[in-house]
Amino acid sequence: MSISTENPVRNGVDTATLFATIDAVKGNNEIAKFRFRASNKWVSGTHNQSTIHSFYGAMQEMTHTSAHVLDADHPAVLVGADNGPTPVEYVLHALAACLTAGIANIAAARNVNLTEVESTVEGNIDLMGILGIGSGVRNGYEQIKVSFKLKGDDPAKLRKVVEQSTARSAVYDIVTNGVPVAIEVEAG
Amino acid sequence: MSISTENPVRNGVDTATLFATIDAVKGNNEIAKFRFRASNKWVSGTHNQSTIHSFYGAMQEMTHTSAHVLDADHPAVLVGADNGPTPVEYVLHALAACLTAGIANIAAARNVNLTEVESTVEGNIDLMGILGIGSGVRNGYEQIKVSFKLKGDDPAKLRKVVEQSTARSAVYDIVTNGVPVAIEVEAG
């Protein structure tokens, strides 16, 4: 494909490998089946810690180059010790990160140059829900707003890239459409 | 309330302050309206970085005691440089963290002692969706499984605590039921 051989790296994206990966998946759909994992350990109060290291993908067990340790906690105003971001803030980060990675990949695949991508994600939540006070108040965010600022090529092209990234974002799909969650407990 | 004065700190949870917070919110519902934020900056390729610092809550602008910086990236098998967890792994961490914080709070409020809470969260995803190959394949997780292991008081009580944490978890609600997301773009 001429796009990839003429300009294999654009926006820091190795487009040749990206297109080769898509071709490999087309040849064998099993390659695309992934299973991601996080292992969490309670520390004290609302403070707990996840380790993210292994995952299954491309038909084999794999690991990240290093294990990532993430702390979560509540701030003092929510009766925590503020040892890390809150769980709901991690969701906002995940959404921004997924859309932004998609923007970089899609722009590169379309020969669109990016020089800057910034975003702010805000989520409104009424804690009456989780505190069990307000009937009819949901536990999670009522709404989330993502504000992107992009610089690079033609603004119209940049807008189209954001649209396509939204249409193909894993976290956008999870957050807007929901996912079935099964919970198992071993106690004692 | 006798629970809080007899044993104000249980499982590392300051139950006196927890009950006082609930009473304060009952007295003025505005206190419970929070807005969380993450600011993200693209670095290169699928690597980007969020900063989590300020939030609005309890009728005022507030900040975490320090700014938290989170890197996200794709691993090499997904054409990234593996500078951090993937966005979808952050979602698994957020879910584990929210349920675990709830378990600690609810156990403390019920006078249930915890000695250990561990969990593994796994999410199955078919990347045919985000690669735009498979028609009818969703972009996000098809399903998520959370496996908890708890030690402490009576196993039946521990199971009830997990049930109540699930019923009051912000991230469980977000992930299972979805949230409306609005995206704004400023380009050029």
Side-chain angles (χ1 to χ4, degrees):
Chain A
M1 180 176 260
S2 64
I3 292 169
S4 56
T5 48
E6 277 169 18
N7 197 343
V9 177
R10 184 183 297 268
N11 306 329
V13 176
D14 180 348
T15 50
T17 305
L18 185 61
F19 289 124
T21 301
I22 293 170
D23 285 343
V25 171
K26 281 180 184 164
N28 183 356
N29 297 349
E30 282 300 307
I31 293 173
K33 292 191 164 57
F34 275 63
R35 177 176 291 171
F36 290 105
R37 300 180 190 113
S39 297
N40 185 281
K41 237 179 135 77
W42 173 56
V43 181
S44 179
T46 51
H47 181 205
N48 58 76
Q49 200 172 63
S50 288
T51 302
I52 291 171
H53 194 206
S54 73
F55 59 93
Y56 175 88
M59 305 171 73
Q60 60 197 292
E61 279 295 320
M62 309 188 83
T63 53
H64 286 284
T65 47
S66 61
H68 301 289
V69 177
L70 304 170
D71 285 276
D73 201 351
H74 289 186
V77 68
L78 298 174
V79 202
D82 212 1
N83 286 298
T86 60
V88 289
E89 288 169 314
Y90 275 108
V91 172
L92 303 181
H93 161 60
L95 181 59
C98 194
L99 291 168
T100 301
I103 287 168
N105 274 341
I106 291 160
R110 293 182 177 186
N111 278 347
V112 173
N113 287 313
L114 295 171
T115 53
E116 197 180 302
V117 183
E118 285 184 15
S119 59
T120 303
V121 188
E122 293 191 313
N124 291 337
I125 188 166
D126 186 337
L127 300 182
M128 303 259 285
I130 65 171
L131 291 172
I133 302 170
S135 66
V137 177
R138 72 177 294 177
N139 296 321
Y141 287 124
E142 293 161 314
Q143 52 177 43
I144 293 174
K145 197 175 99 178
V146 187
S147 305
F148 271 107
K149 214 169 113 179
L150 281 85
K151 287 187 182 168
D153 282 352
D154 174 30
K157 284 184 186 171
L158 296 177
R159 284 175 190 282
K160 289 279 182 193
V161 166
V162 178
E163 273 174 32
Q164 183 62 14
S165 177
T166 305
R168 287 285 167 231
S169 164
V171 178
Y172 180 84
D173 175 28
I174 294 165
V175 170
T176 56
N177 296 318
V179 175
V181 176
I183 298 184
E184 285 177 5
V185 184
E186 191 188 318
Chain B
M1 178 176 262
S2 65
I3 292 168
S4 55
T5 49
E6 278 169 17
N7 196 343
V9 176
R10 185 183 296 268
N11 306 329
V13 175
D14 180 348
T15 50
T17 304
L18 184 61
F19 288 124
T21 301
I22 293 171
D23 284 343
V25 170
K26 281 181 184 163
N28 183 356
N29 297 349
E30 282 300 306
I31 292 172
K33 293 191 164 59
F34 275 62
R35 177 176 291 170
F36 290 105
R37 300 181 189 114
S39 297
N40 186 280
K41 239 178 134 75
W42 175 56
V43 181
S44 179
T46 50
H47 180 204
N48 57 76
Q49 200 172 63
S50 288
T51 303
I52 291 170
H53 194 206
S54 74
F55 59 93
Y56 175 87
M59 304 171 74
Q60 61 198 291
E61 278 296 318
M62 308 189 84
T63 54
H64 285 285
T65 48
S66 61
H68 301 289
V69 177
L70 304 169
D71 286 276
D73 201 351
H74 289 185
V77 68
L78 298 174
V79 203
D82 211 2
N83 286 297
T86 60
V88 289
E89 288 169 314
Y90 275 108
V91 172
L92 303 182
H93 161 59
L95 181 59
C98 193
L99 291 168
T100 301
I103 287 168
N105 274 341
I106 292 159
R110 293 182 176 186
N111 277 347
V112 174
N113 287 312
L114 293 172
T115 53
E116 197 180 303
V117 184
E118 285 184 13
S119 59
T120 302
V121 189
E122 293 192 312
N124 291 337
I125 188 166
D126 186 337
L127 300 182
M128 302 260 285
I130 66 171
L131 292 172
I133 301 169
S135 65
V137 178
R138 71 177 294 178
N139 296 321
Y141 287 123
E142 294 162 312
Q143 52 177 43
I144 293 174
K145 196 175 99 177
V146 187
S147 305
F148 271 107
K149 214 169 113 182
L150 281 85
K151 288 186 183 168
D153 281 352
D154 173 29
K157 284 185 187 172
L158 295 176
R159 284 175 191 283
K160 289 279 182 195
V161 166
V162 177
E163 272 173 34
Q164 182 63 14
S165 178
T166 305
R168 287 284 168 231
S169 163
V171 178
Y172 180 84
D173 175 28
I174 293 165
V175 170
T176 55
N177 295 318
V179 176
V181 176
I183 298 183
E184 284 178 4
V185 183
E186 192 188 318

